[in-house]
Amino acid sequence: MNSLRAIIAACSGILALSLPLAALATPGPAAQDEIDHLLSYVASSSCTFVRNGSEYGPVKARDHLADKYRFAGNRISTAEEFIEYLATKSSFSGAPYHVHCGKDDQLSGAWLTAELKRYRSAPHLTPISHENGVK
């Protein structure tokens, strides 16, 4: 467990150096709602997430992204930044994250961007879609 914390701490340091200085602001209520939705979308999916060659279930994937978000602190101010800087690739290895939904394999950034677009175009009280491997 201590080695996991050390890896997360190292990754957060790398992440802090990789984010642009212009992103030093906390998300407003609408952006926070979108980020929270994306985390819920990941957790409620029936997809497998591939990170650094290992497969993770949806809850573990959400937990990992939530940890990265927590470590990023006020350097993420939009849902787009959340996707681009935290949810598309490993901060440690640089390897892209993949999402397997049934026979479909796609990059996590594209998968989350499509959901963000759907979420923004739908009334906010609508339940999460059953499309793209979501329960």
Side-chain angles (χ1 to χ4, degrees), residues 17-94:
L17 295 174
S18 68
L19 293 175
L21 293 176
L24 293 175
T26 56
Q32 186 62 58
D33 178 61
E34 291 173 345
I35 293 167
D36 291 342
H37 171 75
L38 292 173
L39 289 168
S40 295
Y41 181 72
V42 169
S44 66
S45 78
S46 59
C47 300
T48 301
F49 296 80
V50 181
R51 177 171 46 93
N52 292 322
S54 297
E55 294 185 348
Y56 298 90
V59 173
K60 287 217 182 253
R62 185 265 332 264
D63 292 348
H64 176 71
L65 294 177
D67 285 344
K68 286 179 75 172
Y69 181 50
R70 194 169 26 262
F71 283 120
N74 64 354
R75 292 177 297 273
I76 300 297
S77 60
T78 66
E80 287 85 0
E81 289 177 354
F82 172 81
I83 293 169
E84 180 180 353
Y85 296 116
L86 304 179
T88 59
K89 65 182 178 180
S90 169
S91 302
F92 185 68
S93 70

Side-chain angles (χ1 to χ4, degrees), residues 103-127:
K103 293 181 180 183
D104 187 31
D105 175 56
Q106 55 186 312
L107 294 173
S108 63
W111 186 72
L112 288 169
T113 299
E115 175 54 21
L116 179 60
K117 183 178 178 181
R118 186 210 65 82
Y119 183 69
R120 285 177 172 167
S121 68
H124 289 288
L125 298 177
T126 302

